[in-house]
């Protein structure tokens, strides 16, 4: 199957799985917005719905796409869809360059730095800005329509940053679970892992203790050939585990527990993977006793991890190179984390349930060079976007759920009359942007009301 055939089949499958109605369009973007040495172009994919748009008194709701297929975010940001009619809004979901089908160089986009080096936040924000300008120029009645941008997680960071960098195009931003402070020297790198641990401990302390104990047990099994075989078979790995890949298994499990904390929603979802309501509680059903035998503990860890990785039972074997789901662009994000999105996270094994892994920028940098032949720029994001010094900006809401590990890097206190922080009890990763559900906690309902009141202020015209 050639690349074009693959893309067409994937496009057909994704559009058939949509939860909402939208037109799929493509916009011609420059690969490089900031120099005149590269004249290449690519087609950026975006979704648009004009059902609720009033050309005489309308608004533009614009989602700044994350590190993945834009379908995943269009289908899981029900807040925009549910409130579009209230603001006569034109709905737009824009895909991030180098993710989904918006690949500047097709199947060679990840070939080398010559092709991949244009995967930056600055270029992505310029894409979004140019697309907004195009829509305002081309959609009837959109020229003077106020623009409100939305984003969750990395998309939330982009939503905040585009308001800061392009305030003439964007009237306000809803930045949900946006860890814009998760950079060097701004927050404690251990807090992320501590929040994950707290989420598990609140369900059952034995659950967190079992996970904490499992790391040494895994290392012990991995010290022998028979132990490696046991781990391979127990975890149903697609490839036999070898000593050099044991860290991959450890990292895969660590990511699984972190993703569970991020997606601990009060109802069943299909965001990263199909999951039951309160998936951590479901996971911890398998980890009620940390004092079982070593083999039983590993078997229980496998069952617990499978709640996130294979709740439907459809996965035949586990690939340790992916943990967050097929729609998430983990490869591209790894490159971004090795260039300008250097967001320190560490573990100490004392205040958290993970293996001790201190933050070591030197080894981190060496790893990036080995994988991508790039050296990470530790200070770049803070220099470009301001870190904690963003009070010159305005009209941004920073909402953060307290169950979300990325809460640690969020803006948790209002910085001015128009830079508003909302802390949401009993809420995981950007729960406030999801569609309303009878199981939503009152804290989320309240946060949404606050967000709507601010949007009304932003779009009001004299």
């Amino acid at each position: 199957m050639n690349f074009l055939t693959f893309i067409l089949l994937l496009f057909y499958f994704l559009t058939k799985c949509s939860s909402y109605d939208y037109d799929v369009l493509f916009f011609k973007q420059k690969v490089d917005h900031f120099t005149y040495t590269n004249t290449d172009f690519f087609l950026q994919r975006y979704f648009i719905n004009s059902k609720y748009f009033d050309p005489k008194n309308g608004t533009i709701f614009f989602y700044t796409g994350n590190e993945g297929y834009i379908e995943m975010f269009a289908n899981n940001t029900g807040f925009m869809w549910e409130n579009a009619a209230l603001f006569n809004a034109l709905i737009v979901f824009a895909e991030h360059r180098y993710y989904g089908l918006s690949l500047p160089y097709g199947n060679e986009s990840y070939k080398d730095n010559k092709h991949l080096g244009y995967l930056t936040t600055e270029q992505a924000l310029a894409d979004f800005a140019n697309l907004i300008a195009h829509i305002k120029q081309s959609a009837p009645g959109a020229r003077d329509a106020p623009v409100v941008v939305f984003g969750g997680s990395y998309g939330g960071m982009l939503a905040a940053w585009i308001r800061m960098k392009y305030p003439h195009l964007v009237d306000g931003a809803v930045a949900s679970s946006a860890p814009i402070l998760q950079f060097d020297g701004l927050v404690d790198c251990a807090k992320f892992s501590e929040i994950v641990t707290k989420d598990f401990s609140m369900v059952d302390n034995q659950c967190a203790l079992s996970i904490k104990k499992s790391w040494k047990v895994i290392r012990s099994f991995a010290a022998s050939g028979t132990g490696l075989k046991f781990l391979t078979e127990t975890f149903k790995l697609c490839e036999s585990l070898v000593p050099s890949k044991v860290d991959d298994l450890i990292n895969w499990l660590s990511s699984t527990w972190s993703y569970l904390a991020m997606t601990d929603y009060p109802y069943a979802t299909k965001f990263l993977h199909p999951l039951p309501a309160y998936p951590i509680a479901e996971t911890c059903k398998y980890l009620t006793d940390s004092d079982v035998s070593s083999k039983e503990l590993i078997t229980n860890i496998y069952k617990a991890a499978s709640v996130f990785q294979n709740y439907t039972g459809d996965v035949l074997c586990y690939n340790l190179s992916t943990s967050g789901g097929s729609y998430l662009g983990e490869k591209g994000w790894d490159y971004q984390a090795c260039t300008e999105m250097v967001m320190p996270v560490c573990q100490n094994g004392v205040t958290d349930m993970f293996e001790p892994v201190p933050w070591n920028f030197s080894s981190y940098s060496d790893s990036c060079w080995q994988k991508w032949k790039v050296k990470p720029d530790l200070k770049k994001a803070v220099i470009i976007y301001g870190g904690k010094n963003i009070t010159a900006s305005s009209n941004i809401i920073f909402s953060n759920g307290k169950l979300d590990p990325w809460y640690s890097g969020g803006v948790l206190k209002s910085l001015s009359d128009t830079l508003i922080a909302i802390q949401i009890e009993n809420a995981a990763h950007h729960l406030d942007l999801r569609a309303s559900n009878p199981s939503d906690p009152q804290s989320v309902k309240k946060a949404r009301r606050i967000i709507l009141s601010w949007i009304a202020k932003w779009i009001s015209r004299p």
Side-chain angles (χ1 to χ4, degrees):
M1 181 185 299
N2 63 35
F3 180 72
L4 179 59
T5 302
F6 169 77
I7 289 296
L8 290 172
L9 288 173
L10 183 61
F11 175 75
Y12 174 81
F13 170 77
L14 292 174
T15 53
K16 289 298 181 182
C17 294
S18 171
S19 300
Y20 299 101
D21 293 326
Y22 42 72
D23 293 324
V24 181
L25 300 176
F26 291 84
F27 179 61
K28 188 178 181 180
Q29 293 278 15
K30 293 180 179 179
V31 170
D32 185 2
H33 291 284
F34 304 111
T35 72
Y36 297 91
T37 57
N38 184 335
T39 58
D40 294 341
F41 290 87
F42 76 100
L43 294 179
Q44 179 187 22
R45 189 169 60 133
Y46 67 100
F47 300 161
I48 191 165
N49 180 301
S50 59
K51 177 180 179 180
Y52 308 105
F53 184 60
D54 181 354
K56 297 180 180 179
N57 187 32
T59 307
I60 298 173
F61 279 5
F62 188 98
Y63 188 94
T64 48
N66 302 49
E67 70 283 22
Y69 286 91
I70 194 60
E71 289 86 355
M72 182 166 66
F73 307 103
N75 294 334
N76 287 279
T77 311
F79 180 82
M80 288 174 62
W81 296 96
E82 291 179 352
N83 293 290
L86 183 62
F87 296 100
N88 304 316
L90 179 71
I91 302 173
V92 181
F93 282 84
E95 192 162 66
H96 194 299
R97 59 168 52 205
Y98 286 90
Y99 294 105
L101 304 186
S102 298
L103 301 174
Y105 293 105
N107 61 348
E108 293 191 344
S109 295
Y110 284 75
K111 181 180 179 181
D112 51 37
N113 276 324
K114 178 181 177 181
H115 296 83
L116 189 54
Y118 301 100
L119 174 52
T120 68
T121 56
E122 305 98 304
Q123 298 282 6
L125 291 178
D127 289 340
F128 296 147
N130 277 277
L131 180 55
I132 290 171
H134 166 73
I135 291 169
K136 289 175 76 72
Q137 293 167 5
S138 61
R143 186 185 66 179
D144 297 321
V147 176
V148 178
V149 296
F150 300 79
S153 193
Y154 172 50
M157 301 170 79
L158 295 172
W161 290 340
I162 197 172
R163 167 61 187 167
M164 297 176 193
K165 293 295 184 180
Y166 299 91
H168 58 292
L169 290 175
V170 174
D171 294 84
V174 179
S176 177
S177 298
I180 67 165
L181 303 182
Q182 192 74 37
F183 292 101
D184 183 61
L186 300 184
V187 296
D188 184 350
C189 65
K191 292 300 181 183
F192 179 98
S193 302
E194 289 176 3
I195 294 173
V196 176
T197 302
K198 183 179 178 181
D199 290 347
F200 280 78
S201 296
M202 285 191 303
V203 173
D204 185 345
N205 193 49
Q206 284 295 309
C207 186
L209 288 175
S210 295
I211 293 171
K212 188 173 184 177
K213 185 176 180 180
S214 70
W215 310 119
K216 286 185 178 180
V217 175
I218 290 172
R219 296 287 186 191
S220 177
F221 276 115
S224 68
T226 55
L228 287 168
K229 183 181 179 183
F230 170 74
L231 292 173
T232 300
E233 294 174 350
T234 301
F235 282 104
K236 293 182 169 56
L237 303 182
C238 297
E239 297 182 2
S240 296
L241 192 65
V242 296
S244 62
K245 296 294 183 179
V246 175
D247 283 348
D248 291 349
L249 175 59
I250 297 289
N251 293 335
W252 182 81
L253 285 169
S254 296
S255 295
T256 297
W257 311 136
S258 297
Y259 279 129
L260 277 164
M262 291 167 60
T263 56
D264 196 30
Y265 301 127
Y267 49 84
T269 61
K270 295 181 180 179
F271 179 40
L272 299 178
H273 289 300
L275 292 176
Y278 296 110
I280 289 182
E282 190 70 22
T283 297
C284 288
K285 289 179 181 179
Y286 298 103
L287 301 173
T288 59
D289 185 358
S290 60
D291 291 326
V292 296
S293 69
S294 294
K295 284 194 173 183
E296 187 175 356
L297 176 63
I298 297 305
T299 300
N300 291 343
I301 288 289
Y302 158 75
K303 292 177 180 178
S306 294
V307 171
F308 179 78
Q309 296 291 351
N310 192 20
Y311 188 68
T312 60
D314 296 332
V315 179
L316 299 180
C317 65
Y318 291 140
N319 182 347
L320 297 181
S321 64
T322 59
S323 57
S326 59
Y327 284 2
L328 202 60
E330 292 179 309
K331 186 176 181 181
W333 181 251
D334 187 63
Y335 179 83
Q336 288 190 260
C338 276
T339 50
E340 60 183 1
M341 296 298 289
V342 185
M343 304 171 73
V345 172
C346 58
Q347 304 152 193
N348 57 40
V350 177
T351 60
D352 61 60
M353 63 185 188
F354 297 93
E355 262 196 330
V357 180
W359 171 247
N360 185 319
F361 179 70
S362 178
S363 61
Y364 182 90
S365 180
D366 290 343
S367 174
C368 289
W369 180 259
Q370 184 178 11
K371 289 185 290 185
W372 298 105
K373 295 296 183 286
V374 295
K375 289 288 187 178
D377 198 335
L378 184 63
K379 303 292 185 181
K380 185 176 181 181
V382 175
I383 292 171
I384 293 177
Y385 301 115
K388 293 182 178 181
N389 300 314
I390 59 172
T391 52
S393 190
S394 63
N395 293 3
I396 305 173
I397 291 174
F398 297 99
S399 57
N400 287 279
K402 287 191 172 183
L403 297 179
D404 181 16
W406 291 114
Y407 173 91
S408 62
V411 176
L412 305 179
K413 294 183 179 180
S414 296
L415 302 176
S416 71
D417 291 342
T418 59
L419 294 175
I420 308 301
I422 305 174
Q423 296 189 37
I424 311 175
E425 298 284 347
N426 303 313
H429 205 46
H430 49 70
L431 176 58
D432 51 321
L433 288 189
R434 295 185 59 81
S436 59
N437 188 284
S439 298
D440 284 329
Q442 289 300 317
S443 57
V444 172
K445 296 176 182 179
K446 180 180 178 181
R448 289 175 179 149
R449 290 194 296 269
I450 295 173
I451 292 170
L452 291 174
S453 69
W454 277 102
I455 292 175
K457 294 177 183 178
W458 295 339
I459 70 171
S460 63
R461 292 289 190 261

